[in-house]
Amino acid sequence: MLNCVKINRENIIKNLKRIRNMTPLICVVKDDAYGLGIENILPVLYNEGERYYAVAFFEEASEIRKMYEDVNIIILNYTEEEKLHEAVKDKIEVSVFSMLQLHRYIEILGDKIPELGIHIKFNTGMNRLGFDIEETPELCRIISENNLQVKSVFSHISNSENIENTEKQLEKFENITNLLKKHEINYGFRHISASPALFQYTGKYNFDFSRVGMAIYGLEPLSKDTGLEKCISIESKIINIKNVKKGEYISYGENNRLEKDTAVGIIPMGYAQGIQMQIENKGAYALINGKKAPVIGEVCMDMLLLDISGIENVNLLDSVVLLGKSGNEEITLRDISKWTSTIQDDIITKISKKIKRIITQGELWKK
């Protein structure tokens, strides 16, 4: 196996237990559990007693339902009309966030609409999805007339580290829930916090549940360090070594002329495997034998070139760490975020699904 993603089960469980001490949670496993594989992550969470999950799309919800019959599943994105009857049959809960969507669902399901578990999303300031507060009275009328089964009401914080704007969103959310109470609308629970708000406000705005994804997997949800356990390592292998003379070019184009004689190590990971081209000329490096191997040249579709000149005893098929620890050195998702000018979620969800994910028992990232 030339490339792999290793997932530390022990550290996921540590993060999960820490989060559970802060809030009841809905585990967010959308987009194939942040690229780690639902088939890998869900058994870990299920065996730890978690029974509420959130996904992005119906196909993910259906996959989970085939794995476990005794869990609740929320679809956070739009559920296509042709999937609604199946959602009712399989007890898959859907999010509703606009009048047009709600009217379509009522029209399609007819008398069966009360059987569909619905989570009503409100827009409190992100202006992406959700009913506006001005729509609440009409929404309440529709809920009552159609005997809708409202599992929860929720919203989403746009920037948890902007305290002033967060307070405004929370005030609006509370005003909305007061309106629902005034119109005698019954619902199961409220939730607004995701990982960033949970750690920024340490439980102040948890309401009944928090939706937590990235923090479970060790992705830092804030600009400051929250001390979460790191859970993901990405590794490759040296497939070739070239000794290239000063003045020669490497990789594509003519912008990568060597200023010194260089030992070049090639690994079989490129942009098709999820290595983002933004790392070029950003000081990015990999780790080999506990030493830094700078990225040089243009990122290729299936290969990456490394300067291994300063590393002794590099051999064919030696391990190369792209995320994780090697000796006393480490590369974190924050490091890669800096090199690529993107966020941690973007990095791990872009790692090709063709690269095998391996669950380990805890030997990675030990302190």
Side-chain angles (χ1 to χ4, degrees):
M1 182 173 12
L2 295 175
N3 302 314
C4 68
V5 175
K6 294 182 179 179
I7 304 161
N8 186 315
R9 181 200 307 268
E10 181 180 296
N11 283 359
I12 285 178
I13 293 171
K14 287 179 181 178
N15 289 336
L16 184 65
K17 288 179 177 179
R18 179 180 170 189
I19 294 161
R20 275 203 300 233
N21 286 334
M22 302 166 71
T23 179
L25 71 155
I26 298 167
C27 297
V28 181
V29 292
K30 65 180 181 177
D31 298 298
D32 205 26
Y34 284 61
L36 301 178
I38 283 180
E39 71 281 6
N40 298 317
I41 298 300
L42 211 66
V44 178
L45 303 178
Y46 185 88
N47 289 339
E48 290 299 311
E50 295 304 323
R51 295 295 184 269
Y52 226 130
Y53 301 100
V55 297
F57 300 106
F58 180 85
E59 290 74 16
E60 293 177 314
S62 183
E63 182 180 352
I64 292 174
R65 179 57 74 223
K66 290 173 184 175
M67 294 172 71
Y68 301 110
E69 295 182 355
D70 61 336
V71 300
N72 292 85
I73 311 162
I74 307 173
I75 298 173
L76 297 174
N77 214 306
Y78 193 91
T79 301
E80 303 100 311
E81 287 88 339
E82 61 269 24
K83 301 293 186 183
L84 290 175
H85 286 282
E86 194 173 346
V88 170
K89 178 177 69 72
D90 290 341
K91 292 183 171 57
I92 293 171
E93 302 160 14
V94 305
S95 295
V96 174
F97 39 78
S98 75
M99 285 295 182
L100 180 59
Q101 178 195 16
L102 182 54
H103 285 304
R104 283 177 182 265
Y105 284 11
I106 291 170
E107 180 182 356
I108 288 164
L109 286 178
D111 293 342
K112 286 188 174 293
I113 191 66
E115 299 177 34
L116 180 67
I118 290 174
H119 296 261
I120 302 289
K121 186 167 192 176
F122 287 95
N123 173 38
T124 56
M126 193 164 181
N127 294 307
R128 184 179 63 174
L129 302 177
F131 293 92
D132 294 322
I133 189 170
E134 296 80 10
E135 297 178 286
T136 306
E138 175 64 8
L139 175 61
C140 291
R141 183 189 67 78
I142 295 170
I143 291 172
S144 296
E145 288 183 358
N146 292 275
N147 193 27
L148 299 184
Q149 181 191 162
V150 182
K151 293 286 189 178
S152 81
V153 295
F154 72 109
S155 190
H156 196 60
I157 302 297
S158 62
N159 181 3
S160 296
E161 293 185 86
N162 185 322
I163 296 173
E164 182 180 355
N165 285 348
T166 298
E167 294 284 355
K168 288 178 181 177
Q169 284 195 252
L170 290 159
E171 181 181 2
K172 186 174 286 188
F173 186 61
E174 289 182 330
N175 289 339
I176 288 166
T177 58
N178 287 335
L179 278 172
L180 295 174
K181 183 178 181 180
K182 179 182 176 181
H183 286 85
E184 299 181 339
I185 298 299
N186 295 318
Y187 55 85
F189 55 91
R190 300 177 295 169
H191 48 112
I192 193 169
S193 287
S195 296
L198 177 65
F199 281 86
Q200 176 70 22
Y201 302 102
T202 59
K204 184 178 179 182
Y205 301 117
N206 289 354
F207 292 101
D208 301 306
F209 280 87
S210 297
R211 302 181 305 276
V212 184
M214 62 187 302
I216 294 173
Y217 316 121
L219 282 66
E220 285 290 352
L222 301 172
S223 58
K224 62 185 179 183
D225 186 6
T226 63
L228 287 162
E229 301 289 342
K230 299 178 179 69
C231 303
I232 308 163
S233 179
I234 302 173
E235 297 180 15
S236 186
K237 292 184 184 295
I238 294 286
I239 61 166
N240 196 25
I241 298 171
K242 299 285 290 185
N243 292 304
V244 186
K245 296 293 186 182
K246 174 182 177 180
E248 293 193 24
Y249 295 94
I250 56 169
S251 195
Y252 290 106
E254 297 181 351
N255 296 320
N256 302 296
R257 191 174 189 178
L258 294 176
E259 297 180 355
K260 61 181 179 67
D261 291 351
T262 304
V264 180
I266 295 93
I267 64 171
M269 281 194 76
Y271 54 81
Q273 288 72 43
I275 302 296
Q276 301 192 30
M277 295 190 72
Q278 297 97 308
I279 67 171
E280 295 171 11
N281 303 312
K282 296 289 181 61
Y285 54 85
L287 300 175
I288 304 172
N289 299 335
K291 303 291 184 181
K292 296 179 181 179
V295 173
I296 53 176
E298 187 172 305
V299 178
C300 307
M301 182 178 286
D302 304 295
M303 283 177 274
L304 187 67
L305 281 67
L306 305 171
D307 182 351
I308 60 173
S309 303
I311 307 174
E312 296 180 354
N313 301 320
V314 180
N315 298 300
L316 190 68
L317 299 181
D318 276 358
S319 178
V320 178
V321 174
L322 297 158
L323 172 66
K325 296 187 76 170
S326 176
N328 293 322
E329 296 286 350
E330 68 176 322
I331 298 171
T332 67
L333 281 168
R334 283 203 194 279
D335 293 326
I336 302 174
S337 294
K338 182 179 178 181
W339 297 334
T340 56
S341 299
T342 189
I343 58 175
Q344 299 164 86
D345 314 46
D346 184 42
I347 295 162
I348 63 169
T349 55
K350 283 185 175 171
I351 300 298
S352 171
K353 292 184 180 180
K354 293 180 180 179
I355 294 177
K356 187 173 180 60
R357 274 65 169 163
I358 300 171
I359 292 283
T360 74
Q361 296 303 315
E363 62 268 24
L364 301 176
W365 293 101
K366 280 201 177 288
K367 296 178 181 177

